[in-house]
Amino acid sequence: MCAIQILCTGDVHLGRRPSRVPVENDELSVRRVWDRFVETALNREVDAAVLTGDIVDSENQMYEAYGALERGIQDLVEGGVEVVAVAGNHDHSAFPRLARSIDLDGFHLLGQGGTWDAVELSGQNEEEAARFVGWSFPQATEHASPLGDLALSETDGPTVGVLHCEVGSGEGQYAPVRRDALARAPVDAWLLGHIHAPDEHREGGQLQLYPGSLQPLDPGEPGVHGAWLIEVAPEEITAEKLPLASLRYKEFALDVTDLDAEEEIETQVLQSLRDDLADLSDRWPELSHVAYRLAFEGRTNLHREIEETAGQMTRSLQPEVDGTTATIEAFELETRPDYDLEELAQGDDPPGVLAQLLLKLGDGDVDDTRVRALLRRASKATSKVHESSRYEPLRHDSETREPPDRERLRSMLYKQGLLLLDELHEHRS
Amino acid sequence: MSTSDEQTDGVDDTLRFDRVQVQRFNGLDHGLEASLCDGVNVIYGSNASGKTTLAQAIRAVLWPGHAGDQFPIVEAQFALSGSTWRVELEGDRRSYEKDQAPASRPDLPPSTHGPRYHLYLHDLLQTEGHEEDFARHILQEAQGGIDVEGTAEELGFEVPSRRSAQITTAVEELRRKREETKSDQEALRRKERSLGDLREKRADAREAAQRAAALGQAITVAKARRNRDEAEAALDQYPDVMSEVRGDEGETLGALQEDLQAAKDEIQEAEEQIEEAQETIEHSRIPEDGLPEGRVEGLRTKVTDLREQERAVRQRREDLKESEKKEEEAWDRLPTGKDKEAAAGIDLPELEEVEAHAKDVQNFRGRQEAFETAEELFGDVSPDTPIDTLRDGLRQLHRWLQRPEPDGRAESALQEWVVLIGGLLVAVAGGALLLTGSGTSMIVGGLLVLLGALIAGAEWTRRSDVEEEPGGRRALHKSEFGRLGLEGPGEWSREAVETRADALLEQLREAEVATEKQETWERLQPKYEGLDDTADKLEQERARLAEEMGLDPDVGSHSLFVLLERLSRWQAAYDDLGTKEEALEAAEKEAEDCRAGLTEALADYDLGPVEDASEAQEAVTTLETARTEFQEARRDLENAEEKKAGAIEDRDDAQSSIRELYERLGLEEEAEDELRDLASQHESYEEAVDKKQKADAELSAALKQLHRQEGHAEWMEEATKEAAEQELETAQEVAEKEEEYVQEIESIKHDIQDAREEGTLEELQARYRERRDELAEERDGDYEKAAGSVLAEFVQEETRDQGLPPVFHRARELFAEITDHRYKLTLDRENAAFRAFDQVYEKPFDLDELSSGTQVQLVLAVRIAFLETQEQGCRAPLVLDETLANSDENRARAIIEAVKTICEDGRQVLYLTAQADEVQKWSAQLDGEEGPDHSVIPLEKLDKRDLMEPGGDGAAVPVRSAPESLPDPQGTTHEELRDTLDVPDWSPRQPVGRLHLWYLIESPAPLLKLIESGTRTWGQLDNRYQLGGVQALPFEEQSFRRVQARSKAVSSWKEAWHIGRGQPVDREALEETDAVSSNYIDGVAEIAKELDGDAEALLEIIRKRDDERVQGFYSSKADDLEDYFLEHGYLIRQDPLTPEEMWQHVLADLTDERADGLVSERGLERLFGRL
């Protein structure tokens, strides 16, 4: 082998638990998967472990996450694996703290204080070497792109950039960088952090890899998660995903057009889930739990029945196939009524008026006076809910603080409109 | 739609009476005549004054069949379609004239509609059902029947009022716990950062502890050193020679001196003893060489021999004396006259021979004595009276006594028994003598036995005779007795006879004894006479013996034997005497020899001569004593000399020792005091030496220990105690904290370890997120319901009135007009009932919830709408009969308002009332005002006293509260109008509908126009707009949209204001909870009203209980009330928005309006400035 082998991860968020999964299942804890990451690095005898930031969650960085981080890094270094890390917005203080407290030659925290740093590591047979350059968050937010300060001397071997940043428009508070700016840097591969969805992107031959969260943390992080095995050779850099995550969030669409009776719903759901679970369990042996988000699709008149049944199954049902368990964490009704809205909209009676509104809401025609008025009133009505004392705690939490936005309102109106229409239509017929 | 427009068109189909004359009606002559105006005709009159008659008459002239059969005579004149009509009613006949020409009946509403034109106002409120019928009718007419509201309800499109806030609390609690844990961890982190400091401090403390230990030791060293120095100083006080002093020198010297003295004394004593011994030896009878061995012992043996011999001599002499005495005595017992020598030579007969002779003599004399006694007893004895005579005489006497005359027989019997027993006793006594006695006594005994037997036998015999012979023959026996010649009894009485018999018996007994004696002596006498031969023989024997012994031949036989014995004894004594004398002589000689020997031996020692053993003994003892003394003296001498020699040695030793002693201590001899002084100091000196050694050892050990201490420093070895102590105190203070630091460090480390391992925060975070998401889901559900509700409402609004018949729209229009657009008529489809929506207070009301005035207005509106829509022919006058209702100001006003509206439409109204004040109200309200014509037609003279004075106290309140004179819009600013119009303040707790238009309309002209038309509030204006569009308003469309935008801004502002503030509490809200009892409801509702429904302020007052209306209100009930307020949104635990936030809220809401240029920020600022 004439390449440097790297096991890379980021956005581990030690100290946090994945949401909407059974809390009693310790197998799903982030710590457990982090341990698995360390084991994998040691077992595969990689040359380096690269951590792209947010390894600990700032909410719990003080001890619980910190302890796990410290232990993991100690194990890695003591096991002969060099550790290259940059601090992300979550662990901007935890990493420097660790660097101060442990005295390990094999641990390289790059770019402390927001200044680019480099370290050169060689492979096991000392023939090949790679340079790692990195930049760490000096505080929780950074509005400027850190790339502006990057100045690199020329080198013979490959250079790997390690950075926690928000790739995109170049605006934001988490070290926003543009893709082209990344591509312009004299770096052969970027190992990035911050975005939890894994993304292997090549820009002009340059690898721009977001390893994604090691273990998905909420339903917004579907798909296969894990660490990445990267081989850095002078001529080529390859990346391979190692699905270490024990949890998977999955959106699962279920067409209910053919369902005729309420009783069939549960069977249909359960059967579909079991089939899918069997498939997943077969393909991803590390997987221990799948949290499904069901989307009911198709045309049906069983809206209410489906809603009721799915509501009962959510978070209570727990099928198991070959040791892999599953839950339904939520469901969405995306079914359509089995009648023609256009036709209905011809009338000026309530179903007609409603159908007219639904057509507009469905088209997203928010400039229509009536739709605007409706949205305004819905906004007011939901504001009342939002402001009610019952939901006060939600207003203190940044994640639930915002009232529903216009799009959300539109979608809600549309969904409720369909339900209402369904009922009105039924009454009329 | 306005009357004037119709009139100008010339299509007026309204029928208006000008004049009515009732001559006879209902069988009564009236003579009523009234001129009526086109508008409202208030017909006043007390009961039975003809009001109803007038009304009935009008109906009768229009619709036949209503006139009754009592021949009415009525004449009336009315205008219709531009013509003047005259009608006469007489009985059944009606005649019409149109423009003074006969004409047929005009086109009038069908007679069945007649009653519809006569409305009894009080009935409108009482007879329920009509309106429902109308409502139902309207619904029937409405097309479709899709119930959007019901469906929405079915779908749960209503944000539920959630009573339980458990999950909210749970989320809040979890968030709090998470924050707590975080802050704990931060605190721990701060502690962790202090670990370095703590460790340094701990090291310092540890060092200080070591130093303290060393200092402790240094103090010990200092103390030891001080002790050592003191000991040394103490030792230096003694002279050097003290090391030589042993301490016992005093005693030693004393002892030596004593020894010396003792030796000297002893020498002297020995010399005295020597002298004394030598003197003793010199004066002793013992020769210088002493006595030969065994000399004294030999002498003592000789003395013993001598004493023995002297004792033997004394014994022989005593023996001799005794023999001489015995011989003398034996001699004395012999008859004198005999020579001893001769006597000694007599050869004496055999003693046995003499002894036998003496015995024979003795026997002879015994037999002789026995015979002499018998002769004395029995010889020469014979009875006086023959015994047989005595026996016969006694027998006769006894037989006499046995013959008749038995008296005293028992006594004689007793006597007889005495005799018998006496006889027997004699015999027994004799027997006893016979058995025990010997010789004579045996004989006497035998005699006595015999005598006794005789007595007893004679008595026995007599008794047998007496019993055999019976009495009565006394004389015979007397004679028989006499014949015997015995002495008689003296007299022959029983006693005498008995006495005589006893005597005779005694006589008989004596006679019998004498007879016996006589017989015995006769038998013994021959033997007595034979004794004389024996006596002779014995005499001869005696004489022979006397002779033989040389004794007097006359000596008796007995003496012979005695003399023989005495003589033989003397002969023996005499022989013994001789032997004794010889023994004495031999003994005396031997003793003398012995004594002489002794005397000789003793003479050598200057002792003797000795006369006897005692003297000899004494001399020997003296010699022995002398020998002992001599020997002792010799021994004493030796001893004394030996002793002297020893004592001299001792003396020399002592002197030498004393000398050495002094020399050793370096003292002059004789310096005894100095020596003793030194010796006495020895012990304390030794102590001082010990003390110093000990102190040296201690100091050395302490120093060693100090060297071993980790905190040891050079200076400590020489430090003073005080200096070390001072340092120690400082060090201890620091050292004391070590444990504290250690514990603190351990505790922090432990806590850190725990914090790293436990995962509490992670769990709390997860749990919090889970619960939060749950709550958020619930909120999403509520959002959806709210959105659904909005949608349903929207659709409902858009389609609500669709399909409703024109009658409903007309009724709504009328009702809005009547109420100055305050109310909007709605139809409750489900319940088929009319409702009124208060545009100002933005609240819907059921019919029965409305005030009676508004109810009448609503009902009137509905009735008239129906009337109108179904009206055929012409518009006939309306008769409103209020005659039965009491005067109610509000109601009256409402009715007047309604009637005015109706009249404004062109219809003629006849208003019947019996209330004088009502007339006044009409006048007050209609006089001098633009509006319909009106006239008051009193059917009798009005009593001035019934009328209230107008104005002042506000009793007669004009229906429209508009100022009586509105200013000229040209010359008045908007600001001035505020006061002029008396614009009420508005608070966000009030509905926006209640907002006075002054706030919204800045241009005085349209504002005043609206006010003038009775439209004062936004609610009214909005209602007008909704009913009639912009056309119904004194605005251009754009201007009205501006007003609309402003009202929206106020709504938005009100909404923003309500965030963090609960809804206003009203009575209704208070009535819904159990927390306010009926006792308090009025008071609390009143307070709530005063506070504009501010729940928090209300609760404060209730809790304080200062206000008398809530005194005694339970605090638990206040808590319940608070819970209720919280649950129902009257009270909100949230901070209200800041003015800035409210502003932002409003701006956000009015984005579109701002974009359309309907309202500017400045305009809004002005608007809110006014509020």
Side-chain angles (χ1 to χ4, degrees), chain A residues 20 70 370 390-391 397, chain B residues 164 756 768 777 782 798:
Chain A
R20 306 183 75 80
E70 187 187 55
R370 289 206 296 176
R390 181 176 183 79
Y391 301 121
D397 191 307
Chain B
S164 162
R756 283 184 174 198
Y768 162 69
E777 268 173 39
D782 283 359
E798 293 258 303

Side-chain angles (χ1 to χ4, degrees), chain B residues 158-340:
Chain B
E158 189 58 50
V159 181
S161 107
R162 311 226 185 236
R163 296 186 69 86
S164 162
Q166 202 182 348
I167 185 169
T168 311
T169 321
V171 172
E172 203 59 75
E173 180 65 14
L174 280 167
R175 193 172 69 93
R176 192 186 56 71
K177 275 191 186 158
R178 185 193 63 178
E179 293 307 318
E180 251 175 41
T181 311
K182 261 166 122 175
S183 101
D184 286 351
Q185 289 198 353
E186 273 160 23
L188 183 58
R189 179 79 186 116
R190 284 195 290 280
K191 282 186 185 170
E192 190 182 356
R193 289 201 192 95
S194 72
L195 272 179
D197 278 357
L198 279 172
R199 287 197 179 106
E200 262 176 44
K201 282 180 183 169
R202 182 189 57 188
D204 287 351
R206 211 167 258 174
E207 204 182 305
Q210 286 170 354
R211 198 165 62 246
L215 282 164
Q217 189 55 33
I219 290 167
T220 313
V221 168
K223 280 183 189 163
R225 178 171 289 113
R226 186 177 290 178
N227 285 346
R228 203 271 320 264
D229 291 350
E230 280 172 8
E232 202 169 54
L235 196 57
D236 286 348
Q237 300 294 314
Y238 295 92
D240 291 342
V241 74
M242 274 312 291
S243 59
E244 294 301 317
V245 177
R246 295 191 195 113
D248 59 349
E249 281 83 356
E251 288 78 25
T252 310
L253 181 63
L256 286 172
Q257 284 171 338
E258 269 175 33
D259 288 353
L260 183 61
Q261 190 56 46
K264 283 180 179 171
D265 290 351
E266 208 169 329
I267 290 167
Q268 194 182 346
E269 191 185 348
E271 282 170 349
E272 280 171 13
Q273 281 171 352
I274 289 167
E275 202 177 331
E276 194 179 341
Q278 282 171 340
E279 201 177 335
T280 305
I281 290 165
E282 211 175 305
H283 291 93
S284 175
R285 65 179 72 238
I286 307 296
E288 243 177 270
D289 300 340
L291 287 176
E293 194 73 29
R295 173 62 53 88
V296 173
E297 286 73 26
L299 287 174
R300 188 171 288 138
T301 310
K302 280 186 179 167
V303 171
T304 306
D305 289 350
L306 177 60
R307 184 170 290 127
E308 271 308 305
Q309 285 159 5
E310 281 178 344
R311 199 176 50 80
V313 170
R314 277 194 307 273
Q315 188 65 45
R316 297 288 179 268
R317 274 194 195 121
E318 274 174 30
D319 288 351
L320 184 62
K321 272 183 199 163
E322 200 174 328
S323 296
E324 283 172 344
K325 195 179 167 190
K326 278 181 184 169
E327 183 267 339
E328 204 66 43
E329 278 173 4
W331 182 258
D332 287 347
R333 289 175 72 181
L334 289 172
T336 51
K338 273 264 179 160
D339 183 12
K340 281 189 181 180

Side-chain angles (χ1 to χ4, degrees), chain A residues 20 59-60 63-64 70 97 348 370 372 377 380 386-387 390-392 397 400 415-417, chain B residues 164 168 182 189 192 756 760-762 768 777-778 782-783 797-798 802 1055 1133 1149 1152:
Chain A
R20 306 183 75 80
E59 287 287 316
N60 199 359
Y63 289 108
E64 291 173 11
E70 187 187 55
R97 179 178 152 203
D348 60 352
R370 289 206 296 176
R372 271 168 64 187
R377 286 167 69 169
K380 283 200 190 310
H386 186 76
E387 301 296 339
R390 181 176 183 79
Y391 301 121
E392 194 185 349
D397 191 307
T400 52
K415 188 180 154 195
Q416 300 307 310
Chain B
S164 162
T168 311
K182 261 166 122 175
R189 179 79 186 116
E192 190 182 356
R756 283 184 174 198
T760 309
L761 187 55
E762 184 176 317
Y768 162 69
E777 268 173 39
E778 196 182 274
D782 283 359
Y783 282 154
E797 278 172 21
E798 293 258 303
Q802 264 173 11
E1055 238 177 50
R1133 293 269 180 255
D1149 266 3
D1152 293 347

